């Protein structure tokens, strides 16, 4: 076949085509058609060109894939695998054989496709082919290679390409800086900026956006200010992308005044600038300002994103503002937002932290995609509410469906086991960590000590600490101090407290726990010594306070509070309740009073604790039968815990109290913790 003249074959083929595809009656009745077919040289030449291309493809390519050389190359087959050759990609095979002319646009399109799909292996094949072509020093293509490698997370390879490039332009530097910034290597991104300027390369808005983002990710206010000054110098401070990044950076660094100033000066805003400022106020606990901005954002025509809702829901979670959280949930549904991603998990977390574990479970069941983050949020919620069996069931279910547990998963299920007396289960899951290649951290060891200590196995807990493969910490020994107080073991408590003081003399809470242990045993001289130790160290016990949310307003109370406008009604309400619960068996637990005074004075000291005042206020201002939710900044008092059980029985109402450790659901004279706290 190769010995024939392709022109002769073309003529034979042409005659066959005209005979086969041009009916005889047309040439008979319309002679000009025959004239065109015979003498229209451009038409004949075009057909000849097509024929020659097909001919050369047929004689040069193996029969097995010759048909593919005639493909129309588009996005769907740019990265098609190689059939016979060793280049790895079929398009590269065609170039290698000479069936396809190497082209800068073709290479670039292939690299763009690799970047979009995260195809690092294929991208490296294209780069390897480029290095053996005439485009090996082409800055445009090398920039595409650099961007592809950085986008796929291959920063070492990207840096190697960057260093070997004979010529660098603005895109080169920006691609490398952006790659570092997007892969949380902020320092590496920032150190590239001075040499970029030294090379005389002018940064653009994408360069500055990435640099500012890097500053925000490490909360580096000083670096952020310097980059901001450079933005002014180069005239990019008013750009919407740069400005939005500056707002977010200042907010993450905690400088809300500067963030607000940049935001106000932006002539054009976008969702990123709004979200950055809203998230900044939410992180600072300024929930009202965050919500005000949320409303203003919509009035100015911007639609909230899942990041907007996520930031606001996280803010309401920290304060336990259930009504605000429900309002945001309703707003999400009204705007057609689906329960996915950050917003779905944040909503679940909000309900769990605001005391409504039932609503949290409903959200969890309706999530469009359940992943390890949503499972962890649900497990943490179960642990906080003392629902150990439910946590174990969820853990087993996520294992069955193939969701890989991480360190947070194990910490959550271990905490749930600890708070629900599931000793054997807790030991089992601690041992299971090795199977999933999760290395136990200090927090996991602390939880096991808490698990053993709560079960009364104080000696086992002590031996566990002393035999750990890691160095013990103040947090681990402090957990044993708490367990010793729970079981009134003064000797073990004093021993563990001494270990805490050796490791960290200022560790919070240990002095108070030790003083409580001594007070319970009537050792007032030792109580005085501990208090003197606290005074000499400059340590102060955090003042207790409780708060309730009524009609979107938060009311805060401290012990013996007389500042509230309804103080007289509140005190009368509690005194009335106190009398009723005493009639059915309540006896004030004066062991929690760390004062060497008589019994009457001790009972008086317990009378108006902050959670009792918050309860009385809630009873005055909520509909009969509704659930009362109280938040407290420290562990709930043992006497108040007992009083709440009796009140729930007398009033036939559910009372939910959240302290620093967990939720207590009081109903019909019982607590969900089973008095195991």
């Amino acid at each position: 076949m190769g010995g024939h003249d392709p022109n002769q074959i073309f003529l034979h083929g042409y005659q066959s085509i005209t005979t086969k595809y041009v009916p005889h009656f047309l040439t008979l009745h319309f002679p000009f058609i025959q004239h065109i077919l015979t003498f229209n040289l451009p038409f004949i030449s075009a057909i000849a060109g097509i024929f020659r291309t097909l001919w050369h493809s047929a004689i040069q390519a193996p029969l097995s894939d010759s048909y593919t050389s005639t493909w129309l190359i588009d996005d769907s087959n740019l990265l098609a695998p190689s059939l016979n050759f060793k280049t790895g990609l079929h398009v590269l095979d065609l170039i290698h054989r000479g069936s396809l002319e190497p082209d800068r646009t073709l290479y670039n399109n292939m690299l763009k496709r690799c970047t979009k799909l995260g195809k690092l292996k294929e991208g490296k094949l294209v780069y390897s082919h480029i290095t053996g072509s005439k485009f090996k020093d082409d800055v445009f293509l090398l920039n595409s290679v650099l961007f592809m490698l950085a986008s796929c997370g291959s920063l070492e390879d990207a840096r190697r390409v960057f260093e070997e490039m004979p010529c660098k332009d603005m895109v080169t530097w920006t691609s490398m800086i952006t790659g570092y910034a997007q892969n949380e290597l902020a320092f590496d991104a920032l150190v590239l900026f001075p040499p970029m300027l030294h090379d005389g390369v002018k940064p653009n808005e994408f360069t500055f956006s990435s640099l500012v983002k890097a500053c925000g990710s490490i909360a580096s206010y000083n670096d952020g200010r310097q980059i901001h000054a450079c933005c002014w110098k180069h005239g990019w401070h008013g750009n919407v992308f740069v400005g939005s990044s500056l707002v977010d950076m200042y907010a993450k660094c905690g400088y809300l005044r500067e963030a607000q100033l940049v935001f106000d000066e932006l002539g054009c805003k976008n969702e990123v600038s709004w979200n950055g400022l809203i998230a900044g106020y939410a992180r600072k606990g300024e929930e009202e300002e965050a919500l005000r901005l949320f409303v203003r954002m919509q009035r100015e025509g911007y639609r909230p994103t899942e990041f907007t809702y996520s930031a606001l829901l996280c803010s309401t979670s920290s304060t336990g503002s259930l009504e605000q959280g429900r309002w945001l949930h309703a707003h999400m549904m009204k705007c057609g937002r689906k329960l996915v991603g950050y917003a779905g998990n944040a909503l679940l977390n909000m309900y769990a932290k605001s005391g409504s574990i039932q609503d949290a479970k409903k959200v969890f069941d309706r999530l469009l995609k359940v992943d390890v983050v949503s499972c962890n949020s649900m497990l943490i919620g179960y642990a906080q509410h003392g629902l150990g069996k439910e946590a174990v069931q969820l853990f087993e279910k996520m294992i069955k469906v193939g969701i890989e547990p991480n360190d947070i998963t194990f910490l959550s299920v271990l905490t749930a086991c600890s708070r629900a007396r599931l000793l054997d289960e807790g030991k089992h899951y601690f041992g299971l960590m090795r199977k999933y290649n999760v290395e136990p951290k200090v927090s996991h060891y602390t939880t096991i000590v808490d698990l053993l200590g709560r079960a009364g196995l104080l000696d086992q807990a002590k031996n566990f600490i002393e035999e750990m493969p890691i160095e013990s910490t103040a947090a681990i020994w402090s957990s044993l101090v708490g367990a010793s107080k729970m079981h009134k073991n003064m000797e073990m408590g004093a021993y563990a407290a001494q270990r805490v003081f050796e490791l960290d003399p200022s560790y919070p809470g240990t002095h108070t726990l030790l003083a409580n242990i001594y007070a319970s045993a009537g050792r007032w001289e030792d109580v005085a010594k501990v208090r003197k130790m606290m005074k000499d160290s400059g340590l102060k016990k955090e003042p207790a306070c409780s708060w309730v949310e009524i009609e979107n307003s938060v009311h805060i109370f401290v012990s013996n509070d007389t500042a509230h406008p309804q103080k007289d009604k509140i005190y009368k309400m509690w005194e009335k309740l106190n009398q009723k619960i005493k009639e059915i068996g309540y006896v004030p637990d004066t062991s929690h009073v760390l004062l060497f005074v008589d019994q009457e004075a001790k009972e008086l000291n317990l009378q108006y604790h902050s959670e009792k005042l918050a309860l009385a206020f809630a009873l005055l201002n909520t509909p009969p039968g509704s659930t009362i939710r109280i938040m407290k900044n420290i562990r709930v008092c043992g006497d108040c815990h007992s009083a709440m059980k009796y009140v729930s029985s007398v009033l036939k109402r559910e009372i939910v109290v959240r302290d620093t450790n967990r939720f207590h659901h009081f109903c019909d004279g019982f607590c969900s913790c089973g008095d195991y706290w």
Side-chain angles (χ1 to χ4, degrees), residues 35-53:
H35 178 79
I36 291 173
L37 292 174
T38 306
F39 298 103
N40 192 336
L41 294 180
F43 178 77
I44 295 171
S45 298
I47 295 177
I50 295 171
F51 188 86
R52 288 193 189 96
T53 301

Side-chain angles (χ1 to χ4, degrees), residues 101-104 107 129-138 141:
E101 187 71 22
D103 178 72
R104 173 198 273 189
Y107 279 133
H129 206 273
I130 290 172
T131 57
S133 74
K134 63 181 179 181
F135 298 108
K136 63 180 181 180
D137 294 328
D138 189 286
L141 284 180

Side-chain angles (χ1 to χ4, degrees), residues 166-179:
C167 181
K168 301 179 180 70
D169 60 10
M170 181 270 297
V171 177
T172 313
W173 289 94
T174 300
S175 296
M176 199 68 239
I177 289 171
T178 302

Side-chain angles (χ1 to χ4, degrees), residues 187 190 211 215 218 220-229 249:
F187 179 77
L190 293 172
L211 289 167
C215 295
I218 58 174
S220 179
Y221 174 68
N222 290 331
D223 288 327
R225 285 182 65 195
Q226 292 183 53
I227 299 297
H228 190 180
M249 180 273 294

Side-chain angles (χ1 to χ4, degrees), residues 68-78 91 94 100 106:
T68 57
S69 65
T70 62
W71 280 3
L72 176 65
I73 300 173
D74 58 16
D75 284 353
S76 64
N77 52 42
L78 270 175
V91 173
L94 297 178
L100 194 64
L106 178 60

